[in-house]
Amino acid sequence: MARTPRLIRMHASDNVAVVANDGGLPAGTEVDGLTLIDDVPQAHKVALTDLKMGDSVVRYGVLIGHAEQALSAGAWVNETNLAMPAPPDLSDLTMPAKMLANPKPLDGYTFEGFRNRDGSVGTRNILAITNTVQCVSGVVEHAVDRIRREMLPKFPNVDDVVALDHTYGCGVAIDAPGAAVPIRTLHNIARNPNFAGSTMVVSLGCEKLQPTRLFPELTLGPGAEDSLVTLQDETHVGFEAMIASILRSAETHLFALNSRVRETCPVSDLIVGMQCGGSDALSGVTANPALGVAADLIVRAGGTVLFSEVTEVRDGIDQLVSRAADEKVANELIREMIWYDDYLAAGGSDRSANTTPGNKKGGLSNIVEKAMGSISKSGSMPISGVVPAGERATRKGLLFAATPASDFICGTLQLAAGMNLHVFTTGRGTPYGLAEVPVVKLVTRSDLARRWHDLVDVDAGRIISENMTLEAMGLEIFETILAVASGRKTCAERLGISNQLALFNPGPVT
């Protein structure tokens, strides 16, 4: 715990700094030549100079707002006295001038994974059961519980059985343009590398999202019962007949999955999704930039990193465009920003709706400040591609997966993009987890790591509390990712906690 009063300034041009100390600092504290005028909570901003009304407030070397009143040096700067600036103009961005240099390769790192027939690699060996409509969710949940209790112990090489539950499939405008997003999301989640291409399907029978629409490649001839169970089938007389059909199909899949063993795989087979939730103003000081160091290591080793959350990069779009591998990628980034601006406007909203009460309590005054910290987890590598919502990544390197900032929707879309491991950073704290892939949890503050000792995988707050360098913490995160990819259980896995999938559906509901 930092005992000496300490402020953290991110850039030489900043005229605010954040309080590093657990519990904050009281008025009257002498720190860095300032006397605090107000009680300032941990992670909140302090004015480093006198500010007149309308003056620019700068953090990360970026304008994050304008003072709405005169503020003296040592005053607490927060959302009540800071006006948010307009978003960057998307029509006037400078395209990347030249191809960015390829990163220096990083050799010698591997992990133990499950090689699939299509060449992809799983970090877990999971039987997945998807449904075509929520009507069957209760039946699938019952069947999964039976499979887990009665069958899974007989197949020691299978890590788990999960239901890919969702609320889509009927009562929707299935032919509307927006429907393409949830349908392709469900299709691609079922192809996730952790499921070995063996996902089962449970259908009701009368729904709009028919099995062959969700999976055009699904064969409905002889042997289809190995992959598809339809509850309205006339052979099902009573509930137990439905369950028996699902269990028979599951047994076939479990035998195949159980024959799989881990083998040594290059880091180029990793697809790591990264996101933040319950962020605070230390997210951009500790956990996110350290994760950015780890992201650089993964990319240099040939792997793939997905960063996301459109509203949390929108205000830094000029930074991202300048890192685009070429003009095509730059235009794809801009296209996704425009689409989301229009989507929010159609709902009578804008990017300012992103920040939560918890974000503000943690020192993030607005989405501009939040975006600067969020972007830092993408590291410094060239952005080699953009993955639209629900689509699957088709190239390696650092990719922007266009998703909403909602933790649950973002995680769901990154699953569809093909991630086989997830890293989640938090400052306020959230027990977020996914059943489909392991989730490595990073926290920004050592105080939170102590309180949530059994929920946290890496305490990035040691950058402050123990003066660790970003490079040392980034290497620790990278090595943790490889260990978890090789089978080490995360805290969430040991506790058996996970969140439901949440589809992004921009289409109408009937």
mmCIF file of all heavy atoms in Angstrom, residues 161-198:
data_model
loop_
_atom_site.group_PDB
_atom_site.id
_atom_site.type_symbol
_atom_site.label_atom_id
_atom_site.label_comp_id
_atom_site.label_asym_id
_atom_site.label_seq_id
_atom_site.Cartn_x
_atom_site.Cartn_y
_atom_site.Cartn_z
ATOM 1 N N VAL A 161 -19.051 -29.411 -20.005
ATOM 2 C CA VAL A 161 -20.125 -29.327 -20.990
ATOM 3 C C VAL A 161 -20.844 -28.018 -20.709
ATOM 4 O O VAL A 161 -21.139 -27.690 -19.563
ATOM 5 C CB VAL A 161 -21.087 -30.521 -20.900
ATOM 6 C CG1 VAL A 161 -21.629 -30.721 -19.485
ATOM 7 C CG2 VAL A 161 -22.247 -30.362 -21.881
ATOM 8 N N VAL A 162 -21.095 -27.226 -21.763
ATOM 9 C CA VAL A 162 -21.724 -25.918 -21.568
ATOM 10 C C VAL A 162 -22.888 -25.761 -22.533
ATOM 11 O O VAL A 162 -22.876 -26.274 -23.657
ATOM 12 C CB VAL A 162 -20.723 -24.764 -21.774
ATOM 13 C CG1 VAL A 162 -19.585 -24.842 -20.773
ATOM 14 C CG2 VAL A 162 -20.192 -24.722 -23.191
ATOM 15 N N ALA A 163 -23.905 -25.056 -22.064
ATOM 16 C CA ALA A 163 -25.037 -24.693 -22.912
ATOM 17 C C ALA A 163 -24.785 -23.304 -23.480
ATOM 18 O O ALA A 163 -24.541 -22.355 -22.733
ATOM 19 C CB ALA A 163 -26.323 -24.701 -22.099
ATOM 20 N N LEU A 164 -24.812 -23.179 -24.791
ATOM 21 C CA LEU A 164 -24.660 -21.875 -25.448
ATOM 22 C C LEU A 164 -26.037 -21.219 -25.512
ATOM 23 O O LEU A 164 -26.650 -21.056 -26.560
ATOM 24 C CB LEU A 164 -24.052 -22.045 -26.842
ATOM 25 C CG LEU A 164 -22.720 -22.795 -26.900
ATOM 26 C CD1 LEU A 164 -22.231 -22.905 -28.343
ATOM 27 C CD2 LEU A 164 -21.670 -22.094 -26.036
ATOM 28 N N ASP A 165 -26.520 -20.849 -24.344
ATOM 29 C CA ASP A 165 -27.886 -20.354 -24.204
ATOM 30 C C ASP A 165 -27.995 -18.902 -24.684
ATOM 31 O O ASP A 165 -27.045 -18.126 -24.562
ATOM 32 C CB ASP A 165 -28.305 -20.454 -22.729
ATOM 33 C CG ASP A 165 -29.790 -20.228 -22.539
ATOM 34 O OD1 ASP A 165 -30.545 -20.408 -23.509
ATOM 35 O OD2 ASP A 165 -30.182 -19.847 -21.419
ATOM 36 N N HIS A 166 -29.150 -18.545 -25.212
ATOM 37 C CA HIS A 166 -29.377 -17.194 -25.704
ATOM 38 C C HIS A 166 -30.866 -16.942 -25.778
ATOM 39 O O HIS A 166 -31.687 -17.847 -25.543
ATOM 40 C CB HIS A 166 -28.740 -17.017 -27.096
ATOM 41 C CG HIS A 166 -29.273 -17.956 -28.126
ATOM 42 N ND1 HIS A 166 -30.383 -17.695 -28.879
ATOM 43 C CD2 HIS A 166 -28.848 -19.195 -28.505
ATOM 44 C CE1 HIS A 166 -30.633 -18.707 -29.688
ATOM 45 N NE2 HIS A 166 -29.711 -19.638 -29.488
ATOM 46 N N THR A 167 -31.258 -15.714 -26.095
ATOM 47 C CA THR A 167 -32.679 -15.347 -26.113
ATOM 48 C C THR A 167 -33.176 -15.056 -27.528
ATOM 49 O O THR A 167 -34.187 -14.385 -27.710
ATOM 50 C CB THR A 167 -32.921 -14.112 -25.235
ATOM 51 O OG1 THR A 167 -32.114 -13.032 -25.715
ATOM 52 C CG2 THR A 167 -32.580 -14.396 -23.779
ATOM 53 N N TYR A 168 -32.478 -15.556 -28.535
ATOM 54 C CA TYR A 168 -32.826 -15.269 -29.918
ATOM 55 C C TYR A 168 -33.591 -16.448 -30.514
ATOM 56 O O TYR A 168 -33.866 -17.429 -29.837
ATOM 57 C CB TYR A 168 -31.557 -14.979 -30.728
ATOM 58 C CG TYR A 168 -31.811 -14.268 -32.032
ATOM 59 C CD1 TYR A 168 -32.217 -12.940 -32.042
ATOM 60 C CD2 TYR A 168 -31.652 -14.921 -33.242
ATOM 61 C CE1 TYR A 168 -32.459 -12.276 -33.235
ATOM 62 C CE2 TYR A 168 -31.884 -14.265 -34.442
ATOM 63 C CZ TYR A 168 -32.291 -12.951 -34.430
ATOM 64 O OH TYR A 168 -32.527 -12.296 -35.611
ATOM 65 N N GLY A 169 -33.958 -16.338 -31.811
ATOM 66 C CA GLY A 169 -34.473 -17.487 -32.553
ATOM 67 C C GLY A 169 -35.894 -17.399 -33.003
ATOM 68 O O GLY A 169 -36.285 -18.038 -33.982
ATOM 69 N N CYS A 170 -36.750 -16.624 -32.290
ATOM 70 C CA CYS A 170 -38.137 -16.479 -32.708
ATOM 71 C C CYS A 170 -38.664 -15.161 -32.147
ATOM 72 O O CYS A 170 -38.025 -14.544 -31.289
ATOM 73 C CB CYS A 170 -38.981 -17.654 -32.234
ATOM 74 S SG CYS A 170 -40.278 -18.137 -33.407
ATOM 75 N N GLY A 171 -39.807 -14.711 -32.654
ATOM 76 C CA GLY A 171 -40.327 -13.424 -32.223
ATOM 77 C C GLY A 171 -39.476 -12.275 -32.705
ATOM 78 O O GLY A 171 -39.484 -11.184 -32.119
ATOM 79 N N VAL A 172 -38.719 -12.502 -33.781
ATOM 80 C CA VAL A 172 -37.837 -11.476 -34.332
ATOM 81 C C VAL A 172 -38.079 -11.364 -35.831
ATOM 82 O O VAL A 172 -38.630 -12.273 -36.464
ATOM 83 C CB VAL A 172 -36.354 -11.836 -34.083
ATOM 84 C CG1 VAL A 172 -36.028 -11.796 -32.601
ATOM 85 C CG2 VAL A 172 -36.004 -13.201 -34.679
ATOM 86 N N ALA A 173 -37.650 -10.233 -36.395
ATOM 87 C CA ALA A 173 -37.719 -10.053 -37.854
ATOM 88 C C ALA A 173 -36.504 -10.761 -38.450
ATOM 89 O O ALA A 173 -35.458 -10.162 -38.645
ATOM 90 C CB ALA A 173 -37.738 -8.573 -38.200
ATOM 91 N N ILE A 174 -36.651 -12.028 -38.725
ATOM 92 C CA ILE A 174 -35.520 -12.891 -39.073
ATOM 93 C C ILE A 174 -34.879 -12.531 -40.407
ATOM 94 O O ILE A 174 -33.714 -12.870 -40.656
ATOM 95 C CB ILE A 174 -35.973 -14.374 -39.074
ATOM 96 C CG1 ILE A 174 -34.779 -15.318 -38.931
ATOM 97 C CG2 ILE A 174 -36.795 -14.699 -40.306
ATOM 98 C CD1 ILE A 174 -34.216 -15.381 -37.542
ATOM 99 N N ASP A 175 -35.606 -11.796 -41.273
ATOM 100 C CA ASP A 175 -35.053 -11.424 -42.571
ATOM 101 C C ASP A 175 -34.587 -9.974 -42.624
ATOM 102 O O ASP A 175 -34.126 -9.508 -43.671
ATOM 103 C CB ASP A 175 -36.084 -11.656 -43.681
ATOM 104 C CG ASP A 175 -36.399 -13.138 -43.860
ATOM 105 O OD1 ASP A 175 -35.445 -13.930 -43.882
ATOM 106 O OD2 ASP A 175 -37.593 -13.477 -43.957
ATOM 107 N N ALA A 176 -34.698 -9.255 -41.513
ATOM 108 C CA ALA A 176 -34.230 -7.874 -41.471
ATOM 109 C C ALA A 176 -32.707 -7.841 -41.552
ATOM 110 O O ALA A 176 -32.036 -8.775 -41.103
ATOM 111 C CB ALA A 176 -34.703 -7.206 -40.183
ATOM 112 N N PRO A 177 -32.129 -6.786 -42.116
ATOM 113 C CA PRO A 177 -30.665 -6.722 -42.241
ATOM 114 C C PRO A 177 -29.943 -6.909 -40.907
ATOM 115 O O PRO A 177 -28.908 -7.573 -40.847
ATOM 116 C CB PRO A 177 -30.429 -5.323 -42.819
ATOM 117 C CG PRO A 177 -31.680 -5.004 -43.561
ATOM 118 C CD PRO A 177 -32.788 -5.632 -42.766
ATOM 119 N N GLY A 178 -30.477 -6.334 -39.828
ATOM 120 C CA GLY A 178 -29.822 -6.454 -38.533
ATOM 121 C C GLY A 178 -29.755 -7.867 -38.005
ATOM 122 O O GLY A 178 -28.920 -8.188 -37.155
ATOM 123 N N ALA A 179 -30.649 -8.758 -38.509
ATOM 124 C CA ALA A 179 -30.671 -10.139 -38.030
ATOM 125 C C ALA A 179 -29.410 -10.899 -38.402
ATOM 126 O O ALA A 179 -29.090 -11.920 -37.777
ATOM 127 C CB ALA A 179 -31.894 -10.865 -38.585
ATOM 128 N N ALA A 180 -28.691 -10.417 -39.391
ATOM 129 C CA ALA A 180 -27.457 -11.107 -39.785
ATOM 130 C C ALA A 180 -26.452 -11.151 -38.648
ATOM 131 O O ALA A 180 -25.675 -12.106 -38.539
ATOM 132 C CB ALA A 180 -26.841 -10.409 -40.999
ATOM 133 N N VAL A 181 -26.466 -10.124 -37.777
ATOM 134 C CA VAL A 181 -25.469 -10.061 -36.704
ATOM 135 C C VAL A 181 -25.663 -11.177 -35.687
ATOM 136 O O VAL A 181 -24.730 -11.963 -35.427
ATOM 137 C CB VAL A 181 -25.473 -8.674 -36.034
ATOM 138 C CG1 VAL A 181 -24.535 -8.660 -34.820
ATOM 139 C CG2 VAL A 181 -25.054 -7.601 -37.032
ATOM 140 N N PRO A 182 -26.844 -11.327 -35.050
ATOM 141 C CA PRO A 182 -26.980 -12.422 -34.081
ATOM 142 C C PRO A 182 -26.882 -13.809 -34.704
ATOM 143 O O PRO A 182 -26.366 -14.737 -34.073
ATOM 144 C CB PRO A 182 -28.355 -12.185 -33.449
ATOM 145 C CG PRO A 182 -29.087 -11.307 -34.399
ATOM 146 C CD PRO A 182 -28.053 -10.464 -35.055
ATOM 147 N N ILE A 183 -27.349 -13.959 -35.956
ATOM 148 C CA ILE A 183 -27.300 -15.292 -36.576
ATOM 149 C C ILE A 183 -25.858 -15.711 -36.831
ATOM 150 O O ILE A 183 -25.450 -16.827 -36.494
ATOM 151 C CB ILE A 183 -28.133 -15.320 -37.876
ATOM 152 C CG1 ILE A 183 -29.621 -15.157 -37.548
ATOM 153 C CG2 ILE A 183 -27.900 -16.625 -38.633
ATOM 154 C CD1 ILE A 183 -30.512 -14.995 -38.769
ATOM 155 N N ARG A 184 -25.055 -14.820 -37.410
ATOM 156 C CA ARG A 184 -23.665 -15.197 -37.658
ATOM 157 C C ARG A 184 -22.880 -15.305 -36.351
ATOM 158 O O ARG A 184 -21.918 -16.071 -36.255
ATOM 159 C CB ARG A 184 -23.008 -14.239 -38.632
ATOM 160 C CG ARG A 184 -22.698 -12.852 -38.116
ATOM 161 C CD ARG A 184 -22.230 -11.952 -39.242
ATOM 162 N NE ARG A 184 -21.867 -10.618 -38.801
ATOM 163 C CZ ARG A 184 -22.041 -9.520 -39.532
ATOM 164 N NH1 ARG A 184 -22.587 -9.617 -40.744
ATOM 165 N NH2 ARG A 184 -21.671 -8.341 -39.083
ATOM 166 N N THR A 185 -23.311 -14.552 -35.323
ATOM 167 C CA THR A 185 -22.657 -14.671 -34.016
ATOM 168 C C THR A 185 -22.856 -16.076 -33.453
ATOM 169 O O THR A 185 -21.899 -16.732 -33.019
ATOM 170 C CB THR A 185 -23.221 -13.628 -33.027
ATOM 171 O OG1 THR A 185 -22.966 -12.314 -33.529
ATOM 172 C CG2 THR A 185 -22.573 -13.772 -31.656
ATOM 173 N N LEU A 186 -24.090 -16.555 -33.462
ATOM 174 C CA LEU A 186 -24.378 -17.902 -32.960
ATOM 175 C C LEU A 186 -23.661 -18.966 -33.783
ATOM 176 O O LEU A 186 -23.121 -19.937 -33.245
ATOM 177 C CB LEU A 186 -25.886 -18.150 -32.968
ATOM 178 C CG LEU A 186 -26.691 -17.382 -31.914
ATOM 179 C CD1 LEU A 186 -28.182 -17.517 -32.187
ATOM 180 C CD2 LEU A 186 -26.352 -17.876 -30.513
ATOM 181 N N HIS A 187 -23.657 -18.770 -35.094
ATOM 182 C CA HIS A 187 -22.986 -19.731 -35.976
ATOM 183 C C HIS A 187 -21.503 -19.822 -35.642
ATOM 184 O O HIS A 187 -20.941 -20.925 -35.517
ATOM 185 C CB HIS A 187 -23.173 -19.293 -37.435
ATOM 186 C CG HIS A 187 -22.431 -20.128 -38.423
ATOM 187 N ND1 HIS A 187 -22.938 -21.307 -38.937
ATOM 188 C CD2 HIS A 187 -21.210 -19.966 -38.989
ATOM 189 C CE1 HIS A 187 -22.055 -21.825 -39.775
ATOM 190 N NE2 HIS A 187 -20.997 -21.034 -39.828
ATOM 191 N N ASN A 188 -20.860 -18.673 -35.478
ATOM 192 C CA ASN A 188 -19.418 -18.671 -35.253
ATOM 193 C C ASN A 188 -19.031 -19.049 -33.830
ATOM 194 O O ASN A 188 -17.953 -19.609 -33.617
ATOM 195 C CB ASN A 188 -18.842 -17.306 -35.640
ATOM 196 C CG ASN A 188 -18.748 -17.130 -37.141
ATOM 197 O OD1 ASN A 188 -18.479 -18.075 -37.872
ATOM 198 N ND2 ASN A 188 -19.007 -15.922 -37.620
ATOM 199 N N ILE A 189 -19.881 -18.761 -32.854
ATOM 200 C CA ILE A 189 -19.593 -19.236 -31.490
ATOM 201 C C ILE A 189 -19.531 -20.760 -31.479
ATOM 202 O O ILE A 189 -18.664 -21.362 -30.835
ATOM 203 C CB ILE A 189 -20.645 -18.730 -30.490
ATOM 204 C CG1 ILE A 189 -20.447 -17.236 -30.230
ATOM 205 C CG2 ILE A 189 -20.554 -19.499 -29.164
ATOM 206 C CD1 ILE A 189 -21.505 -16.624 -29.336
ATOM 207 N N ALA A 190 -20.448 -21.393 -32.187
ATOM 208 C CA ALA A 190 -20.461 -22.858 -32.220
ATOM 209 C C ALA A 190 -19.190 -23.428 -32.839
ATOM 210 O O ALA A 190 -18.846 -24.585 -32.607
ATOM 211 C CB ALA A 190 -21.685 -23.353 -32.985
ATOM 212 N N ARG A 191 -18.472 -22.607 -33.618
ATOM 213 C CA ARG A 191 -17.223 -23.037 -34.255
ATOM 214 C C ARG A 191 -15.999 -22.671 -33.414
ATOM 215 O O ARG A 191 -14.873 -22.843 -33.884
ATOM 216 C CB ARG A 191 -17.100 -22.381 -35.625
ATOM 217 C CG ARG A 191 -18.222 -22.727 -36.599
ATOM 218 C CD ARG A 191 -18.145 -21.834 -37.829
ATOM 219 N NE ARG A 191 -16.877 -21.995 -38.543
ATOM 220 C CZ ARG A 191 -16.325 -21.036 -39.296
ATOM 221 N NH1 ARG A 191 -16.895 -19.848 -39.389
ATOM 222 N NH2 ARG A 191 -15.175 -21.255 -39.918
ATOM 223 N N ASN A 192 -16.204 -22.194 -32.198
ATOM 224 C CA ASN A 192 -15.073 -21.768 -31.373
ATOM 225 C C ASN A 192 -14.067 -22.908 -31.200
ATOM 226 O O ASN A 192 -14.465 -24.067 -31.033
ATOM 227 C CB ASN A 192 -15.569 -21.299 -30.008
ATOM 228 C CG ASN A 192 -14.450 -20.692 -29.165
ATOM 229 O OD1 ASN A 192 -13.708 -21.402 -28.498
ATOM 230 N ND2 ASN A 192 -14.328 -19.388 -29.220
ATOM 231 N N PRO A 193 -12.760 -22.619 -31.244
ATOM 232 C CA PRO A 193 -11.746 -23.680 -31.145
ATOM 233 C C PRO A 193 -11.845 -24.546 -29.891
ATOM 234 O O PRO A 193 -11.418 -25.702 -29.912
ATOM 235 C CB PRO A 193 -10.429 -22.888 -31.154
ATOM 236 C CG PRO A 193 -10.742 -21.623 -31.861
ATOM 237 C CD PRO A 193 -12.158 -21.295 -31.493
ATOM 238 N N ASN A 194 -12.422 -24.022 -28.821
ATOM 239 C CA ASN A 194 -12.510 -24.813 -27.587
ATOM 240 C C ASN A 194 -13.560 -25.911 -27.658
ATOM 241 O O ASN A 194 -13.666 -26.731 -26.752
ATOM 242 C CB ASN A 194 -12.788 -23.904 -26.389
ATOM 243 C CG ASN A 194 -11.563 -23.133 -25.954
ATOM 244 O OD1 ASN A 194 -10.489 -23.281 -26.530
ATOM 245 N ND2 ASN A 194 -11.706 -22.308 -24.939
ATOM 246 N N PHE A 195 -14.351 -25.945 -28.756
ATOM 247 C CA PHE A 195 -15.393 -26.966 -28.903
ATOM 248 C C PHE A 195 -15.021 -28.036 -29.920
ATOM 249 O O PHE A 195 -15.820 -28.949 -30.176
ATOM 250 C CB PHE A 195 -16.730 -26.321 -29.316
ATOM 251 C CG PHE A 195 -17.162 -25.182 -28.440
ATOM 252 C CD1 PHE A 195 -17.873 -24.118 -28.969
ATOM 253 C CD2 PHE A 195 -16.845 -25.165 -27.083
ATOM 254 C CE1 PHE A 195 -18.265 -23.059 -28.176
ATOM 255 C CE2 PHE A 195 -17.233 -24.101 -26.275
ATOM 256 C CZ PHE A 195 -17.943 -23.049 -26.823
ATOM 257 N N ALA A 196 -13.857 -27.929 -30.522
ATOM 258 C CA ALA A 196 -13.325 -28.962 -31.416
ATOM 259 C C ALA A 196 -14.231 -29.262 -32.606
ATOM 260 O O ALA A 196 -14.181 -30.347 -33.171
ATOM 261 C CB ALA A 196 -13.064 -30.250 -30.644
ATOM 262 N N GLY A 197 -15.087 -28.329 -32.973
ATOM 263 C CA GLY A 197 -15.974 -28.572 -34.109
ATOM 264 C C GLY A 197 -17.048 -29.596 -33.834
ATOM 265 O O GLY A 197 -17.615 -30.172 -34.768
ATOM 266 N N SER A 198 -17.351 -29.840 -32.539
ATOM 267 C CA SER A 198 -18.300 -30.915 -32.204
ATOM 268 C C SER A 198 -19.557 -30.400 -31.520
ATOM 269 O O SER A 198 -20.207 -31.125 -30.783
ATOM 270 C CB SER A 198 -17.618 -31.937 -31.289
ATOM 271 O OG SER A 198 -17.292 -31.331 -30.041
#
